[in-house]
Structure formats: C-alpha cells, structure tokens
Amino acid sequence: MAKIAINIATGSLQQPEIIVGIDLGTTNSLVAIIHPETKQPIALKEPAGSDESVATSSLVPSIIHFDERGAVAVGELAKHYLITQPAQTIFSAKRLMGKAYDDIKKNADFFSYKIIDDNTESLVKVQVADKFYSPIELSSFILKELKQRAEHILKTPVNKAVITVPAYFNDAQRQATRDAGKLAGLDVLRIVNEPTAASLAYGLGLSKDESKTIAVYDLGGGTFDISILHISNGIVEVLSTNGDTYLGGDDIDQAILEYWATQNGLTRDDLKANKTLMQSLRLKAEEAKKHLSFNDSYSSDLNGEVLALHKAEFNTLIQPLVDCTLTSCKMALKDAGKSVTAIDTIVMVGGSTRIPLIKEAVSAFFGRAVNDSVNPDEVVALGAAIQADILAGNNKDFLLLDITPLSLGIETAGGLMDVLIPRNSKIPTKAGRQYTTQIDGQSGMRIAVYQGERDLIKDNRKLAEFNLTNIPGMPAGLPKVELSFFINADGILLVKAKELRSGVEQTIEVKPQYGLTDTEVETMLMESITHAKDDIAIRALVEARTEGEQLLQTTERFIQKNNSYLSAEEIKSTAAAMQALQMALTMDDKNLIHQKIESLNEVSRPYAERVMDIAVAFAMKGKIV
Ligand code: AMP
C-alpha cells in the first residue's frame, strides 16, 4: 500500500515535490510531467477556456518581446510582434547560446534584431533599444515563463527541472543552459541530451535487458541533428552525432519565402529594407508548410498578392534540404561504425518531421518504418519528464547514465594531480594505473584521492586518503602498486590499491558526487580555466624538481655503492654538480633545474657506463659458458 505523508506543520497532505521536464527548443519550448495518477508522461497545457473551439497548445514559442519600457512578453504574445516590432522581438535565441559573433556572422541576416558585432570574439549580446541581453538571459525569460505556466497549471510551486539540450552542445552551451535555468529560479537537476530523452519517451532503454541501436532524426525549427545511440542495461551512450545547426523548419519557411518573393519580383534587398513584409511572408510560409503536411495545395494572399504552393513544388523546394539531412545520417553512421542494417529503431523528433516527404526519405534511407507515434513536438519534453521521474527516485530499477562532473585522480610526487578518470566520463567507468615506491624499503604508500581540474592537488578537493601498508621491503622503484578507480552506477567511487609482487591490497569507498553544489563545481571549473597557464608552469616546475630530487638520490646511492671504482676527481666533480643541482632546486626556475640535471648526468655518465661494464663482466665471470 502506498504511504501518504502528512505535513505536521500545515496539516496538509505532503505532496512529493514535482520535477518537471523541459524541452528548451529553438522554435518552441514546453514542459512535461509524469501524471501523478496515470504515471504516464504528459505535456502541460493550459486548460481550455470557455471557448472550447480554441485548442490550447503545449508549445510555447521560444520568442521574447520587449516593449518600450523593457517589459517582457514570452510565447504566443511575443510572436505577434514578429511582424510589427521585429527589432524588439527575439526568436531563435538558442542558436546564440555559448556563441561569439564570429560564429554566427555568416547567418547574421537571419536575425531581424540587433546582435552586437563590435567585439567579434566574446559572447554575443542582443541589443533591444538601449538594453543588452545575453542569450542566457533571453533563455531564462523563456524558462521563467515555462515555470510560471507549469505552476499555474499544477497549482504548486515548481523549483526543480531537467532541461534537454542537443547531443552536440558543448560544455559552454550546456553550462549556459544550466545558468539560464538558475536565472529563472530553477534548480536544474540534470541537463539531458535531446535524443536520449526522445528514446526514453518511446520506452527505449527502460528495460534492463534491452540492447538496441537507435537513430534519432531530429528536424526542429532551427536545427537538424541525427544521433546514433546505443542503449544497453539501461545505459544510453551517444555513439555519434551529426547535423547542421542552421537547418530546420525555419529554413524551409525561408525557402518558401524566397520562392514567393521571386514570383512577386521582390529582391533580397527589398525584403531586407522591409522587415515587416519579410516577417509577414515568413509566417505565411510556415502556414503553407504546415498545411501541406496534410493537404496537396495551399493558397492565401498578402496585401492583395496571391501566395500559392503545390505539394509537388514544395517537395522540389525542400529536396536539397532533405538530401543534406541524409548526408548527415550517412556521416553519423560512419562515425558510429554502424551500417544502416545495424539500426534497430528510428525515432522521429521535431515538428518538421511531420512533413510526409521527410518521413518517406528517412524511412527509405534506413530501409524500415520510422517511429512517429509520439507527438514529435512533445517527445523530447516527455522524455525529460521520464528522466525527472527517475531522478525523483520513482523508477529505481533504472540505471541512470551519469557523467563525472570533475576529474578524479591521486596525489603524486611534488603535490601534483594525476588524473585517472577525466571529467565528463560516463559512469559506470573504471581506470587503472601502476605506481611504484620512491624510497628503498618503503613499506607503505599513502594514497590521497582528489577531485578537480587543477594541476596541483592543493587547488583541488580531497575526497579520501588511505595507506597501503605491509609492502614487503624492496628497493625503490621495484614494487608495482596497481591503483584502480571504479565508479559504479550510483556514482560511488571505489579505490583499490594492490601491490602486485606481494598481493597486498586495500580498498576504500568514496562518494565523489555528494557534498559539492553546482556552484562549487562551476567555481572549480572556472578556476581551472583561469589558472590554466599558471598551472602548466607550476606543473613543469614541480616535475623538474621531482626529477632533480630523484636524480640526487640515485646518484648518492650509486656513489656510496661504487665508491671504489671511482677516481677522486670524479667524486669531486660529482659532488660539485650535485651541490649545484641542490641549489637550483631551491629556486623557481625549471630551466635552471633542467640545466643542472643535465650537467650532473654529463659528469656521471662516463663512470656510470664504466661501472656497468664492470658489473656485467663480473656477472659473466660467474657463469660457465
Ligand atoms: P520544434 O523545434 O521541434 O518545435 O519544431 C518546430 C518546427 O516544426 C517549426 O519550423 C514548425 O514550422 C515545424 N512544424 C510544425 N508542425 C509542422 C507540420 N505539420 N508540418 C511541417 N512542419 C511543421
């Protein structure tokens, strides 16, 4: 029987906290949840008002409008201003996430609002009147609207979310999305890849024993991507991803717009000069496109001019675009090392996959029917809701694929960080490396586990420390200590150290994920970027010092052992070179240390070779050949 919790303070029933799934799209965004009773994912829609004939939609256009006083409107409300106030109406902000002007300048014409272009290398900003907005802020306006909408529909506060991003989004873009969430007052529990979410919505990967290779074909409003995923044991792996961030429904609208413009004797410059006309044509073009998904022809008018399009003409117009997507599919398969026949399932995502020609072309390419039963506009958000539910702990059987947010490693000589598992590694994962002792007869080895991106452990975070004891006495460098890191699916790190010659071993459990807030992870990453140059210099210095110290030790041992084979002159010059190196080690100059190491090597090389020869001859003598 299910347990019901009662909040003693308020006397009300305690509802489990809702975690929403959000698809933050280029053209449209939406929120989904797992229905508390049916346990099925649903996209949130405003309940129909008194006018039942007006269907409400789960989609919120990813459009932001700023009025003269800077007041913000998002969604359908903002969409109306695309025509009348194009300079104050921002669309496709997702395309700007994590981008510099240099990245987008070849498509700058596409945007009918002002993008700041004076500093081409720093992150873009959008100018509306005398205000500047970063793409993060713009996205946060959309997320805020989605949050409020969800709260209004669910009648409960919504503070936690899972947000999806394209699989190809880099770290900067993912971080930007996370920051946008934070700015909107959301605790972003996870950033999930869109194709992974779409697969989940089709129930793929939800069964533990399933092993499948899936192609997710996502043609949305602004972008196209194809991802090849492999799902096994509930773990989703992105094998490859390909696509075009400037190919989508918007481009189809643009193709229709240009077709009509040509028919009506309008040049690109005419359209550029009359942004209002351009936006009106764009909206008509989109209307025509959608109409042609279910009808054979479209006809309308604008300012008295007829705008017509037949399906055959439309198909010819979009054929090059479709071909482009298929070329990407080919490349994605190649990168994944898979043939078309290895694909078990094809999942269709994005509003533009409603176009019959696209469904046919994709299905012909893969040689099998495509999966299009889930609403292609909602499929990603529905999957995000499923992920959110898993995170809420309601689907415990499912293993969550996660990544390590920061690198994991151990302290080595000179306080350096030796990374065993780099950040962003998929878990479960394991890594191993061999280490040895530095001192003769060393019987123990201290193993300190750290998390972080900096080169020096003092700048990283210590997670655990333990001693591998009882190593049998051996000369320095002889013991072989195999250190293995294993992160299981729960994010628990197991560290095992084993001396291979004696079999002595020790294991500890560390929980790397806990205790670090997002902000701390962020700060640690930021610091690693800021200090990257210093870190490289310090690492080089520490490495030079460690090498120098080790050389001093081995030289000293060598001289003690082979004193009788060396001339007084050789011992004297060695002592001088050792002293010079010792001096250099106290200074912060790696070149000087290297120079002194080299000098000491030069002094010792001749007699070292001579002594080796004697040793070999001696060894040979004892043998009867
Ligand atoms: P998304 O980014 O997934 O929300 O996809 C939105 C894109 O899908 C827009 O370019 C829409 O114009 C397009 N779209 C929506 N419905 C249809 C349809 N019935 N036929 C063709 N394209 C559509």
Side-chain angles (χ1 to χ4, degrees), residues 484-527:
S484 40
F485 273 32
F486 174 65
I487 309 183
N488 69 16
D490 295 328
I492 311 283
L493 170 69
L494 274 179
V495 181
K496 192 165 110 177
K498 183 175 184 179
E499 202 290 300
L500 297 179
R501 292 183 197 277
S502 58
V504 172
E505 70 171 76
Q506 189 145 350
T507 305
I508 54 156
E509 233 182 50
V510 192
K511 285 185 182 172
Q513 241 79 338
Y514 304 115
L516 271 188
T517 63
D518 275 2
T519 325
E520 283 172 301
V521 170
E522 225 167 87
T523 315
M524 289 171 90
L525 290 177
M526 281 313 290
E527 280 179 355

Side-chain angles (χ1 to χ4, degrees), residues 90-105:
I90 317 300
F91 61 93
S92 284
K94 186 174 174 180
R95 285 183 150 165
L96 306 175
M97 288 291 255
K99 295 284 169 95
Y101 186 74
D102 269 350
D103 301 324
I104 54 142
K105 68 175 172 217

Side-chain angles (χ1 to χ4, degrees), residues 27-28 220-221 249-250 286 289-290 293-294 350-352 354-355 377:
T27 322
N28 294 301
D250 291 350
E286 189 188 9
K289 170 186 75 175
K290 288 185 178 173
S293 288
F294 308 100
S352 304
R354 287 204 182 87
I355 297 172
D377 288 321

Side-chain angles (χ1 to χ4, degrees), residues 99-160:
K99 295 284 169 95
Y101 186 74
D102 269 350
D103 301 324
I104 54 142
K105 68 175 172 217
K106 80 175 195 317
N107 297 85
D109 271 0
F110 175 83
F111 304 95
S112 43
Y113 45 88
K114 176 140 182 60
I115 296 172
I116 302 302
D117 57 2
D118 48 5
N119 187 349
T120 55
E121 279 167 25
S122 62
L123 294 179
V124 292
K125 286 233 170 196
V126 167
Q127 184 175 7
V128 180
D130 57 352
K131 288 223 169 78
F132 300 91
Y133 301 95
S134 69
I136 295 178
E137 281 171 281
L138 295 170
S139 296
S140 82
F141 290 129
I142 300 171
L143 289 169
K144 228 180 261 171
E145 169 72 22
L146 295 173
K147 173 174 156 38
Q148 282 167 4
R149 199 176 140 112
E151 287 174 339
H152 185 238
I153 298 169
L154 298 170
K155 310 211 170 358
T156 174
V158 170
N159 297 314
K160 292 184 175 170

Side-chain angles (χ1 to χ4, degrees), residues 596-616:
K596 298 300 170 200
I597 288 176
E598 201 33 51
S599 311
L600 177 55
N601 276 331
E602 256 165 46
V603 173
S604 62
R605 198 170 294 123
Y607 63 74
E609 280 168 8
R610 200 175 66 228
V611 171
M612 285 302 278
D613 287 347
I614 297 170
V616 171

